[in-house]
Amino acid sequence: MSPGSREIADSALVRRLNAARVLTALRAEPALSSSALVSRTDMARPTVLAAAQLLVRLGWATESGGGTGARGRPSRVFAFRADAGHVLGLDVGARTVRARLADLRGEVVARAARTVPDPRLPAAERLALVRECALGAVHEAGLAAHRLLAVCAGTSGPVDPDGAVHTRTGIPGFLGTGLRTALAEEFGPDVLVENDCNLAALAERRRGLAAGDGSDGPDGGDAGDGPEGDDTVCLLAGERLGVGAFVGGTLLRGAHNRARDLGFLALMPDAARDLPAGASPDDGIGALARAHGARLVAELADAGGRPAPGAPGAVLYGLAGGTPERVDAETVFAAVRAGDTAAPRLLDGMLAPAAHAVATLSMLLAPRLVVVSGAVAAAGDVLLEPLRRRVARLAPAVPRIAASPLRDEAVVTGAVCLALEHAEARYLTDLRPAPGC
């Protein structure tokens, strides 16, 4: 490279770095004046203005007048264009599909959901439902599928590099299904597929309980131990038990993205004890609540019908109308809240596998925070204290255990976060022009 060419390249790199610093400042605020940008970036005013104007030309920022600034100069106000691009997050579960379309600040601008009519739905029909749900959110926002900067789908099981799950998925008939390939046909090449538990953990790290600095958290941690979110286990515990974990601030993946497999629960007699027919020790708290509750109502019905008031299972039996098929997790949690005397039996059955998982992971990974995520997080008032007591009987030290504020939005929120990171790496880091600019 000739000296002149090197100078041009160096100059282009400096311009890009300066623009990136200004862009970072703009993304943190609704709008900033040129004077504020000078203060935030610690760069000279001409440099800031040149960088901001480059961002305007590329379509990532807007400029407007803001009156008179310091020393009587006209004030120029710049703002990040969060609507310069959009990303899509998907949660592909056994029973539901969720889609959230977000702008470049991660604010959701459109959403869609579909209920899977049968968890055993053939893979081709499930993929058609996923595409329908995704396009529903895109069309609600008035966008075209090919204009999205990135799409991320979360699904159950360890995801291979080809975007498919080949082992231990919680979705019947979905092994080997090319989820990335199917979505790329509609949305183009920027499609990611990730394990749903990893996405739930990422959501907690970015938007949930693990997002704070944690320097003096409720567990009494020392500021010298590092932020609480750096060492967090997220237990996705609705239909299946699954774990996503950050260790030292890094998402734990392992070889072939297969770390965190809870198959070891089948080797623990206490975790697998007294499971209802058809249940598995790696079923989630919600699934086990439904299974144990339905079994109890069936036992009472076989014994002669409605039990006497105050008898174990009487409240649950009444809430379910004496019909096992009407028992779901919410019904069981409502019965426990109402003081059903069968509560200890029900809680013991539904929490045993989760307690063994948390205790084992606490001894292996030493997290400072365990987040119970998924729809069952809404029952934290019922579940957390019994879970803590069970873990304390199994492990020498109990981390802080809390319910996720994201609840059933955790996976799809994490999918949006990962799609944003991908879009940022592809478009904003190298300052490519915004789509359509």
Side-chain angles (χ1 to χ4, degrees), residues 231-283:
D231 296 289
T232 294
V233 165
C234 181
L235 190 71
L236 197 60
E239 290 301 307
R240 303 283 288 181
L241 272 185
V243 169
F246 276 88
V247 177
T250 300
L251 185 64
L252 181 65
R253 292 187 177 278
H256 310 295
N257 201 19
R258 294 180 185 177
R260 320 156 322 277
D261 191 325
L262 297 184
F264 63 79
L265 291 172
L267 306 177
M268 297 180 172
D270 286 348
R273 178 173 49 85
D274 194 32
L275 290 174
S280 166
D282 61 355
D283 281 349

Side-chain angles (χ1 to χ4, degrees), residues 249-344:
T250 300
L251 185 64
L252 181 65
R253 292 187 177 278
H256 310 295
N257 201 19
R258 294 180 185 177
R260 320 156 322 277
D261 191 325
L262 297 184
F264 63 79
L265 291 172
L267 306 177
M268 297 180 172
D270 286 348
R273 178 173 49 85
D274 194 32
L275 290 174
S280 166
D282 61 355
D283 281 349
I285 294 172
L288 289 178
R290 184 172 62 246
H292 281 282
R295 183 173 69 174
L296 176 56
V297 171
E299 290 173 355
L300 293 171
D302 291 343
R306 181 182 291 275
V315 175
L316 178 61
Y317 189 94
L319 291 174
T323 305
E325 292 75 19
R326 290 179 57 185
V327 175
D328 58 17
E330 289 72 21
T331 307
V332 175
F333 300 149
V336 173
R337 287 190 188 96
D340 194 317
T341 53

